Amino acid sequence: MATRTMADGSRLHLHKGMPTNMNELRNSIWLSDPGAYPVLGVVTFACTMSAAFITYCCVRNPDVRIMTGRRQQLIRTWE
């Protein structure tokens, strides 16, 4: 029976645990495969947009009370 080959070769030798320096990070599975670059880009964009929206809501929403002096008041007097 013939063996199945899904790609050019096995990439199992690249998976050696968490990278500890930049050289290992560059040679890891994610950064050595050019097909993973769009995935990394989309995930980075989504995390950045989520953090920006959470920050915007925390700063602009009047119901969010971060300061301790305003946190205990029932009636908002600072608007």
Side-chain angles (χ1 to χ4, degrees):
M1 177 180 270
T3 60
R4 291 175 54 182
T5 58
M6 298 294 182
D8 293 333
S10 175
R11 301 176 65 81
L12 188 59
H13 67 281
L14 294 173
H15 184 64
K16 299 175 182 169
M18 291 296 294
T20 56
N21 56 28
M22 286 303 291
N23 193 21
E24 289 179 6
L25 179 65
R26 199 174 306 112
N27 294 332
S28 69
I29 290 177
W30 280 98
L31 295 181
S32 66
D33 186 13
Y37 294 157
V39 174
L40 293 173
V42 168
V43 169
T44 302
F45 178 75
C47 290
T48 303
M49 291 303 291
S50 298
F53 185 71
I54 290 170
T55 303
Y56 172 77
C57 287
C58 286
V59 170
R60 294 292 183 187
N61 194 348
D63 292 329
V64 177
R65 302 174 188 174
I66 298 173
M67 298 177 62
T68 57
R70 295 179 179 176
R71 199 178 302 157
Q72 300 299 325
Q73 290 183 350
L74 294 176
I75 300 174
R76 292 186 294 226
T77 59
W78 57 86
E79 289 182 1

